[in-house]
Each structure stands twice: as C-alpha cells, then as structure tokens.
C-alpha cells in the first residue's frame, strides 16, 4: 500500500514536470464571442482540478484594438469604442495585480455576468472582486499604471483575423480553434495523454442528451401491487 502511494506521488510529480503546452488567447472585453468562450470553455479549464497539468495559459485582453505612437506617448482605438479600451485596461489590471489563478477566475466571473446580462464591464469587474484589497489593487493599477498596462497588452498581441483567437504552442489553425471552442478541457486532456489518469480528465464521456426511444415489452419495468 505504501509503495502504491509513493508511486502515485512520483507519477504526479512527473506529470507536473513534463512539458505542458502553452495556450495564448487573444480577446477583448466587449466582444460577444469572447464573452461566450470565456464563460463556457475557458471557465471549465480555469475551474478544472488538474488545470496546471493541462496547459500554461496566457489571456491577453486587447483584441482588435490599435496602438498609435505620438509625442506624448501612445493612443488607443478599440473595436467597440472607448468603453472597450477602458474594459480592456481594467481586466488587464486584474491580471497584473492578482495571482494568475485568482485573476482568471475573476475574469470568468465577469464573462458569465456579461452573458447573463450585457452591461458595463468595469462595473462587473469590481462586482466580481471579492475583497477590499483586490478592489484597491485594481483601482490603483487603473489610475496609476494605465499607460504601462495598455502598451504591454498591445505589444503582446500578434497578428490575428478575429477574436477569440487561440494559439497552441505558437500555432493557430482552424482545427485548434474549433477544438478549443468545442471542448478545451477534453482536447487538452487528450493532448497530454491524461484521459482517465488525473482528476478532471475522465475516461468516460457521458451523452449530453437522453433520447426518447420506443420501449420494448422485454425491457418494460412492471410494478406489482
């Protein structure tokens, strides 16, 4: 029994030390498809008990915005207007000042709140923060580090045709994009050969629907008085 426990510990250590894929996602705060992706596929990944064995995640909230250099610094133009530039900034400040796992959960909370009722991203960010300290840190970042944060997310956003845009180990293609949108966790479980080996990567995939088939007399369940 002790040997089995020791072997299991070494197995987990080996899994955690093995090379994990790097996942980069370009998104923007007021993009409906980004909100849907973050509220569903990304949420399942962020809350998966084995997520740190599945991938290293980089979520960059800049999307289809543009950066222009001028004499005083940089100016920004965002696809959905000034409110989106502000939303991108606030969400990126969450990532800057909070520990990565916590920041991802807060941004998933924002996306799920937007999915339930479309509204002001900045307000929803502060509603999703769970302590005065978190709110203070984010507010300070927005007030005092906006130029640094916006330039950082702009410089880390590469070429893309739409958002959300998924990059796996430096590669983007339609197969990867569709796989992540359909079942991000399931795809990463298979990619890492972890199906049935760790919590969060079950070996059996249950049907999502229960179909109504015609019952046969042989299988009818009869109740006797």
């Amino acid at each position: 029994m002790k040997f089995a426990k020791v072997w299991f510990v070494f197995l987990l250590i080996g899994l955690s030390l093995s090379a994990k894929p790097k996942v980069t996602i370009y998104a923007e705060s007021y993009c409906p498809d980004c909100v849907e992706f973050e509220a569903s596929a990304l949420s399942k990944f962020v809350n998966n008990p084995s997520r740190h064995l599945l991938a290293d995640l980089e979520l960059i909230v800049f999307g289809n915005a543009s950066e222009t250099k001028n004499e005083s610094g940089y100016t920004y133009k965002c696809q959905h207007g000034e409110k989106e530039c502000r939303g991108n900034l606030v969400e990126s400040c969450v990532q800057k000042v909070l520990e990565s796992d916590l920041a991802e959960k807060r941004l998933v909370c924002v996306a799920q709140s937007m999915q339930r009722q479309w509204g002001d991203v900045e307000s929803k960010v502060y509603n999703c923060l769970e302590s005065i300290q978190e709110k203070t840190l984010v507010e300070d970042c927005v007030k005092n580090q906006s130029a640094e944060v916006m330039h950082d997310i702009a410089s880390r956003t590469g070429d893309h045709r739409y958002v959300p845009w998924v990059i796996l180990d430096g590669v983007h293609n339609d197969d990867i994009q569709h796989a992540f949108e359909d079942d991000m966790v399931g795809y990463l479980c298979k990619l890492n050969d972890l199906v049935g080996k760790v919590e969060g990567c079950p070996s059996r995939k249950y049907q999502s629907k229960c179909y109504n088939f015609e019952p046969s007399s042989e299988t009818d369940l009869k109740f006797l008085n």
Side-chain angles (χ1 to χ4, degrees):
M1 190 67 177
K2 288 184 178 180
F3 174 79
K5 290 182 178 179
V6 172
W7 177 85
F8 184 69
V9 169
F10 276 110
L11 172 64
L12 290 181
I13 293 173
L15 289 172
S16 64
L17 292 177
S18 60
K20 290 179 291 185
K22 171 70 177 295
V23 175
T24 301
I25 300 170
Y26 298 153
E28 57 191 24
S29 57
Y30 279 87
C31 163
D33 285 348
C34 296
V35 167
E36 181 180 353
F37 177 81
E38 291 171 35
S40 54
L42 187 64
S43 173
K44 292 176 183 177
F45 170 80
V46 167
N47 293 293
N48 189 281
S50 298
R51 59 142 299 172
H52 290 292
L53 299 176
L54 299 179
D56 289 324
L57 175 66
E58 180 183 32
L59 176 65
I60 307 174
V61 189
F62 188 76
N64 298 324
S66 62
E67 178 184 65
T68 303
K69 186 172 176 56
N70 54 43
E71 293 180 357
S72 60
Y74 295 94
T75 57
Y76 299 91
K77 184 177 181 180
C78 295
Q79 183 175 21
H80 298 97
E82 185 178 341
K83 65 179 182 180
E84 183 165 76
C85 286
R86 181 76 176 184
N88 292 348
L89 168 62
V90 177
E91 290 197 343
S92 298
C93 272
V94 171
Q95 293 177 295
K96 181 176 178 62
V97 301
L98 299 185
E99 186 269 331
S100 60
D101 286 9
L102 187 60
E104 290 161 8
K105 290 183 178 181
R106 298 295 182 261
L107 295 188
V108 163
C109 169
V110 173
Q112 291 176 336
S113 178
M114 287 288 283
Q115 193 178 51
R116 288 190 297 270
Q117 183 174 6
W118 201 258
D120 178 61
V121 166
E122 183 170 7
S123 298
K124 290 181 180 292
V125 166
Y126 288 114
N127 287 336
C128 284
L129 299 176
E130 296 185 0
S131 71
I132 294 176
Q133 182 183 21
E134 288 182 15
K135 293 177 181 179
T136 300
L137 288 171
V138 173
E139 287 172 348
D140 180 73
C141 173
V142 171
K143 181 179 179 180
N144 299 311
Q145 302 180 62
S146 59
E148 173 189 340
V149 170
M150 289 299 290
H151 181 60
D152 176 63
I153 58 177
S155 63
R156 290 192 290 125
T157 301
D159 293 337
H160 60 280
R161 297 193 305 276
Y162 52 81
V163 288
W165 182 265
V166 179
I167 303 169
L168 177 64
D169 285 335
V171 176
H172 170 90
N173 59 46
D174 289 344
D175 290 337
I176 291 171
Q177 184 76 28
H178 295 153
F180 272 70
E181 290 174 347
D182 291 343
D183 186 4
M184 179 176 178
V185 167
Y187 180 79
L188 290 171
C189 284
K190 292 178 182 177
L191 184 66
N192 289 286
D193 191 25
L194 294 176
V195 176
K197 297 178 181 178
V198 299
E199 185 182 4
C201 290
S203 57
R204 181 178 179 183
K205 187 172 183 179
Y206 292 90
Q207 273 187 282
S208 59
K209 298 179 178 64
C210 296
Y211 292 94
N212 183 17
F213 295 105
E214 288 293 329
S216 67
S217 58
E218 297 178 356
T219 60
D220 286 350
L221 179 63
K222 297 180 180 179
F223 293 89
L224 302 177
N225 294 326

